Amino acid sequence: MIDRKIAPSTQTIDKLNIIHPTQYIFDNGIPVFVFQSNLHEVIKIDIVFDSGTAHQSVTLASNFTLKMMHQGTLSWPGSRLSTILETNGAYVSKHAGKDDSVITFLFLRKNLAKIVPLLESMLKEPAFSANEFRILKKIEKESFLISNKKSKNLASKLMNRKLFGENTAYGGSAEVDDYKKLRLADIQQHYTNHIGPANCRIVVSGPVDADIISLLNQHIGNEWNTKARRSKLTSNLEFSAGTERVSIAGALQTAIQSGRIVMHRLDENFPSFLLLNTLLGGYFGSRLMSNIREDKGYTYGIHSQITAYLHATSFLIATEAGANFTQATLDEIAFEMNQLREILVDEKELELVKSYLTGSYLRGLDGVYSQAEKFRSIHSFGLDMDYYNTLLKRMMKTDAKKLQELANQYLNPDQMATVLVGA
Amino acid sequence: MIQFDRFILPNGLRVIVHQDVSTPMVAMNILYDVGARDENPDKTGFAHLFEHLMFGGSVNIPNYDEPLQQAGGDNNAFTNSDITNYYLTIPKNNLETAFWLESDRMLNLAFSEKSFEVQRNVVIEEFNQSYLNQPYGDVWLLLKPLAYQQHPYMWNTIGKETSHIADASLDDVKAFYTKFYNPDNAILTLAGNITTEEVKSLASKWFGPINKKTSYQRNLPKEPAQTEARFLSVQRNVPTDAIYKAWHCGSRNDSIYYATDLLSDLLGSGNASILHLELVKKQGLFSQIDAYITGDNDPGLFIISGKLMPGILAIDADRALQKVIDRFCEKGVRKSSLEKVKKRLESTLAFSNISLSNRALELSICEHLGDANLINQLPDLYQNVGRTEIRDLARQLFRNENCSTLYYLSETDNQSKTNPNN
């Protein structure tokens, strides 16, 4: 007869199964990192440029350049490009982040030979047609207007300004007029200055062997027609604390965001702060979730999150709470931060968060595609995959006293920036 | 080829085992054969509210999440019109913890008043966040009751209105649990570095002793054939007008399903799709337009939805859309276009098989449809769709009397009335 009241015994995981990528270098100097596995027929190629929204001279240029590279090339103009990519079962996604931009190609290995020339054409000879640009601007502007209507997005935009400074490299964001102001020449210039081998690194995952790398080298390992150099961040960043409130008539919920700048990823306290973040709001059993959702029912979800950029790390608490619970939610957030400053976390809870996090890293590093993702997120910091073992080790060594010390240093409502959009 | 074993416990629990030795994790998926369609029309939103309550503690285990987190596991769940699905991943070494947790909450829940109170509020906030406080959020609350007048698909998983959730009682919810949450109404799937013998042993140990039976016989009112076009127009606080059109199509188990899915891809999936090329790029009437199917177990819907460019009247955009559809019905699909969407789908199927959890989920869904091995037949089922089949399907599907149209208009947008050339 089993005793359902007794939990089965569990084991702790002490080490992650890290693999290092095989490194190649193209003739033009582009470093290529390969996470090889024959388990699936899917090849993923991430083409990363060390230039993002932080480096653009014109608002929207970074984003639009990536998008326009998908809107036709000299060899495959206009919609011909999308059609031929789809005909070969290729999925292309683009992302312009603050520090870097990525174009990702996802396809089946058997279609590689047909897809590589398309990839080459997109990188080296985007058409930047006036007609496609005109259409894209219209579409993107509409998309912006809809996105801007969402309280959560408006809150993010305002928070971004407070975290980094309104007209700074990290803090700027688009307004609707920027869509009108953007010119094709801005795109051409951004492409010329920021998209090129000198500014590029590539991460490949899947059934990829040296022959495939050689093929890629033949196509994109030679000279491109751009002047791109390694991009440098020019402006300073500036944080401003305090609360900003936007009222939306008839809002049923308030989008609440509360954040600040914390230590850089390479700082020795970063791993411990990651642990603190998880405990506060980084998983379902967190202090914030347990209180504000599972005890009070004020929201469908509340989280805290750390984002490490090359030049700053942000810490952010975010939720959409019932409009009538806006102040109550703010009070509880302050309460939870206060708890962490005043009272040492007990061993049991600390153990639980550590186990959870270990499982989370095990899961996040499962399989080559996940490993490649994780690699991509730290490589520009000059780190390699060993970092994850180091990270885990430091998190596990963190004691309650350290957490309290960090809480006192960083979790002060008076030192936070807060944005409320809604009630 | 996704290899798997299948067995059934004496209590009726179906178990699927898929071995993958490359991963340190195990994915466990439990699918219960209950969805929003099984609800009482005056007490909607229960299946989903119930999903929340499954996390409020079970009869022997006061807290579900903590032991799982302690074991390095993570979990979530979702509800739709047809099923309620719970899934977790856990390091292989701690697999038994997952069996202990899932079997206990199948055995009996704690049903605390406190958890019930809180989750009712949480679900109301979810209702607000997803449906009421977002631009275009309430589209489905409007479109489903327009398209469905008899079948329970007429209401959404979240419920018809927040009052149904607010007025729910703990007794209602207990009755719901007893009715549906039984081993003979569930499919348990394991994927990871496990053997069938291991799973048989753990399943028999933890789930074997649960002897509750389901007496529910699904007998839902059939949606009668729609005999005339339906139309609804609303005004909302959104930046741009939108059009939603829904046509009744087959069910997931119909042989025509695969042609229907490909038809939606041809028309409206991706930047090289027919609707995007014609109505966004060429005619500039829409800023975005999509086509997709609901894929429901009972006869579902084929949807085309789009956001209009400023200055474009909904009725003009609708007519232009109809013209494209009519031309398609007349001419059918080009060979190269059909090849293209099949190629794309081939990729999609391969991508979805990368994730361990996803394989476990797909196996469960296929088993729920009648045969887990359907997962391995999908590539051929899609490849075998012919051009004539698609053309005939389109002619059948896009009849005007089969269509429900929703104009979702901006209350602030006056340009569409005065400045068509904007």
Side-chain angles (χ1 to χ4, degrees), chain B residues 224-270:
Chain B
Q226 188 175 325
T227 53
E228 59 178 16
R230 295 174 192 158
F231 177 79
L232 176 66
S233 180
V234 299
Q235 286 200 301
R236 293 285 190 269
N237 182 9
V238 289
T240 174
D241 295 350
I243 295 179
Y244 300 83
K245 294 177 84 77
W247 293 264
H248 291 277
C249 64
S251 68
R252 180 63 186 81
N253 264 336
D254 287 343
S255 56
I256 201 73
Y257 172 80
Y258 304 95
T260 315
D261 200 9
L262 287 179
L263 177 60
S264 73
D265 286 346
L266 277 163
L267 283 176
S269 174

Side-chain angles (χ1 to χ4, degrees), chain B residues 262-329:
Chain B
L262 287 179
L263 177 60
S264 73
D265 286 346
L266 277 163
L267 283 176
S269 174
N271 288 350
S273 65
I274 291 169
L275 294 176
H276 182 90
L277 290 177
E278 184 60 36
L279 298 171
V280 175
K281 297 291 282 284
K282 191 154 161 222
Q283 294 189 38
L285 298 174
F286 289 83
S287 64
Q288 74 189 59
I289 189 160
D290 301 287
Y292 50 93
I293 56 175
T294 56
D296 296 317
N297 282 21
D298 290 334
L301 299 174
F302 186 111
I303 311 285
I304 294 179
S305 69
K307 304 282 193 310
L308 306 190
M309 289 300 293
I312 304 298
L313 287 175
I315 192 160
D316 292 336
D318 194 358
R319 272 202 202 109
L321 168 58
Q322 201 53 60
K323 263 208 174 113
V324 178
I325 292 172
D326 291 342
R327 192 163 69 226
F328 184 90
C329 289

Side-chain angles (χ1 to χ4, degrees), chain A residues 2-13 39-43 70-71 78-79 82-84 86-91 94 106-108 110-111 131-132 134-135 138-139 141-143 145-146 149-152 248-254 283-286 293-301 319-323 325 348 351-353 355-360 362-363 366-367 369, chain B residues 20 22-25 48 52 55 59-61 65-67 69-74 89-91 93-94 96-97 99-100 103-104 107 114 118-119 121-122 125-126 128-130 132-136 205-207 209-210 237-240 269-273 276-277 280-282 284 286-288 307-310 336 339-341 343-348 350-351 353-356 359 422:
Chain A
I2 51 171
D3 185 346
R4 290 186 184 273
K5 295 212 190 295
I6 301 177
S9 59
T10 56
Q11 293 173 25
T12 50
I13 309 138
L39 281 175
H40 298 278
E41 285 303 298
V42 178
I43 294 180
H70 195 185
Q71 296 305 118
S79 305
S82 288
T83 305
I84 192 91
E86 288 187 20
T87 299
N88 289 293
Y91 278 82
K94 294 90 61 186
L106 199 57
F107 53 92
L108 297 181
K110 65 181 181 175
N111 298 321
N131 191 44
E132 293 295 333
R134 183 186 59 84
I135 295 171
K138 277 174 127 184
I139 292 172
K141 179 185 158 196
E142 292 307 303
S143 181
L145 288 173
I146 293 168
K149 243 338 197 188
K150 296 184 185 175
S151 303
K152 181 174 72 165
I248 309 277
L252 292 168
Q253 292 191 314
T254 302
Y283 76 121
F284 195 84
S286 71
R293 173 178 144 147
E294 293 295 288
D295 185 59
K296 310 286 194 302
Y298 293 160
T299 178
Y300 174 48
T319 184
E320 288 171 86
F325 307 127
K348 192 157 169 279
E351 252 310 293
L352 185 129
V353 181
S355 295
Y356 171 79
L357 269 171
T358 308
S360 168
L362 194 68
R363 188 176 300 108
D366 184 15
Y369 308 99
Chain B
D20 178 348
S22 75
T23 169
M25 307 300 292
H48 171 250
H52 278 245
F55 295 88
V59 59
N60 294 294
I61 309 169
D65 283 300
E66 272 179 28
Q69 287 151 358
Q70 181 66 54
D74 202 4
T89 55
I90 193 166
N93 293 346
N94 296 335
E96 188 154 23
T97 300
F99 274 88
W100 172 63
S103 60
D104 206 59
L107 178 65
K114 162 83 181 187
V118 171
Q119 292 308 320
N121 286 336
V122 171
E125 287 313 319
E126 187 181 349
N128 288 337
Q129 186 175 313
S130 305
L132 303 180
N133 208 50
Q134 303 290 345
Y136 312 98
K205 176 179 176 185
W206 293 103
F207 286 94
I210 304 173
N237 182 9
V238 289
T240 174
S269 174
N271 288 350
S273 65
H276 182 90
L277 290 177
V280 175
K281 297 291 282 284
K282 191 154 161 222
F286 289 83
S287 64
Q288 74 189 59
K307 304 282 193 310
L308 306 190
M309 289 300 293
S336 59
E339 288 309 305
K340 176 187 65 139
V341 292
K343 234 356 200 269
R344 215 161 165 253
L345 190 97
E346 191 187 23
S347 287
T348 312
F351 301 160
N353 285 341
I354 291 174
S355 150
L356 190 68
R359 270 176 270 156
N422 197 49

Side-chain angles (χ1 to χ4, degrees), chain B residues 12-311:
Chain B
L13 179 68
R14 286 156 283 175
V15 186
I16 313 266
V17 182
H18 162 63
Q19 189 181 58
D20 178 348
V21 304
S22 75
T23 169
M25 307 300 292
V26 174
M28 177 187 275
N29 195 91
I30 302 198
L31 185 157
Y32 287 92
D33 185 10
V34 55
R37 66 176 168 168
D38 299 303
E39 293 164 354
N40 179 325
D42 300 318
K43 294 183 176 185
T44 62
F46 266 56
H48 171 250
L49 171 62
F50 193 77
E51 177 219 304
H52 278 245
L53 295 177
M54 277 285 270
F55 295 88
S58 52
V59 59
N60 294 294
I61 309 169
N63 188 314
Y64 170 89
D65 283 300
E66 272 179 28
L68 186 66
Q69 287 151 358
Q70 181 66 54
D74 202 4
N75 78 98
N76 214 325
F78 68 82
T79 310
N80 64 30
S81 298
D82 300 319
I83 61 172
T84 312
N85 194 72
Y86 302 84
Y87 53 100
L88 63 88
T89 55
I90 193 166
K92 157 76 205 289
N93 293 346
N94 296 335
L95 179 58
E96 188 154 23
T97 300
F99 274 88
W100 172 63
L101 287 167
E102 289 299 341
S103 60
D104 206 59
R105 63 181 187 172
M106 183 189 280
L107 178 65
N108 210 351
L109 287 190
F111 289 115
S112 84
E113 279 286 351
K114 162 83 181 187
S115 168
F116 181 59
E117 274 309 305
V118 171
Q119 292 308 320
R120 269 198 320 199
N121 286 336
V122 171
V123 170
I124 288 171
E125 287 313 319
E126 187 181 349
F127 207 129
N128 288 337
Q129 186 175 313
S130 305
Y131 295 86
L132 303 180
N133 208 50
Q134 303 290 345
Y136 312 98
D138 66 338
V139 167
W140 288 94
L141 300 179
L142 299 164
L143 193 60
K144 285 193 125 191
L146 186 64
Y148 290 103
Q149 315 226 305
Q150 300 279 356
H151 189 283
Y153 285 166
M154 76 171 89
W155 59 82
N156 285 270
T157 305
I158 196 75
K160 276 183 193 171
E161 45 188 277
T162 52
S163 68
H164 280 203
I165 297 159
D167 295 343
S169 78
L170 198 52
D171 280 340
D172 289 332
V173 165
K174 281 181 182 170
F176 191 86
Y177 177 78
T178 307
K179 193 170 174 186
F180 295 110
Y181 277 75
N182 307 309
D184 60 355
N185 204 39
I187 299 163
L188 170 68
T189 303
L190 280 300
N193 191 5
I194 44 169
T195 63
T196 305
E197 285 320 301
E198 242 180 298
V199 174
K200 267 198 176 125
S201 169
L202 286 165
S204 303
K205 176 179 176 185
W206 293 103
F207 286 94
I210 304 173
N211 279 315
K212 309 182 292 172
K213 290 260 172 272
T214 307
S215 54
Y216 173 68
Q217 296 272 14
R218 183 170 286 120
N219 191 12
L220 303 174
K222 286 200 174 13
E223 183 68 22
Q226 188 175 325
T227 53
E228 59 178 16
R230 295 174 192 158
F231 177 79
L232 176 66
S233 180
V234 299
Q235 286 200 301
R236 293 285 190 269
N237 182 9
V238 289
T240 174
D241 295 350
I243 295 179
Y244 300 83
K245 294 177 84 77
W247 293 264
H248 291 277
C249 64
S251 68
R252 180 63 186 81
N253 264 336
D254 287 343
S255 56
I256 201 73
Y257 172 80
Y258 304 95
T260 315
D261 200 9
L262 287 179
L263 177 60
S264 73
D265 286 346
L266 277 163
L267 283 176
S269 174
N271 288 350
S273 65
I274 291 169
L275 294 176
H276 182 90
L277 290 177
E278 184 60 36
L279 298 171
V280 175
K281 297 291 282 284
K282 191 154 161 222
Q283 294 189 38
L285 298 174
F286 289 83
S287 64
Q288 74 189 59
I289 189 160
D290 301 287
Y292 50 93
I293 56 175
T294 56
D296 296 317
N297 282 21
D298 290 334
L301 299 174
F302 186 111
I303 311 285
I304 294 179
S305 69
K307 304 282 193 310
L308 306 190
M309 289 300 293

Side-chain angles (χ1 to χ4, degrees), chain B residues 344-407:
Chain B
R344 215 161 165 253
L345 190 97
E346 191 187 23
S347 287
T348 312
L349 288 175
F351 301 160
S352 73
N353 285 341
I354 291 174
S355 150
L356 190 68
S357 309
N358 225 56
R359 270 176 270 156
L361 173 63
E362 289 303 316
L363 279 164
S364 308
I365 288 176
C366 290
E367 178 65 22
H368 181 248
L369 290 170
D371 182 3
N373 197 44
L374 178 62
I375 199 176
N376 293 314
Q377 296 165 343
L378 292 177
D380 283 345
L381 284 166
Y382 280 104
Q383 285 307 315
N384 290 339
V385 171
R387 291 164 64 199
T388 313
E389 191 181 356
I390 293 214
R391 189 201 61 199
D392 291 346
L393 166 65
R395 289 175 183 176
Q396 230 297 98
L397 188 67
F398 294 125
R399 290 167 299 118
N400 203 37
E401 59 269 25
N402 190 33
C403 185
S404 300
T405 301
L406 170 65
Y407 286 179

Side-chain angles (χ1 to χ4, degrees), chain A residues 111-178:
Chain A
N111 298 321
L112 173 80
K114 292 251 171 77
I115 288 168
V116 172
L118 301 171
L119 188 156
E120 176 186 8
S121 184
M122 284 173 69
L123 294 176
K124 288 187 187 169
E125 49 161 29
F128 292 146
S129 116
N131 191 44
E132 293 295 333
F133 181 61
R134 183 186 59 84
I135 295 171
L136 185 67
K137 277 218 289 184
K138 277 174 127 184
I139 292 172
E140 289 297 307
K141 179 185 158 196
E142 292 307 303
S143 181
F144 170 84
L145 288 173
I146 293 168
S147 172
N148 217 38
K149 243 338 197 188
K150 296 184 185 175
S151 303
K152 181 174 72 165
N153 293 346
L154 185 55
S156 290
K157 194 159 70 171
L158 297 171
M159 175 53 68
N160 202 47
R161 288 183 195 163
K162 292 182 84 64
L163 284 173
F164 303 110
E166 187 156 344
N167 291 311
T168 66
Y170 277 2
S173 55
E175 293 302 346
V176 67
D177 281 345
D178 290 313

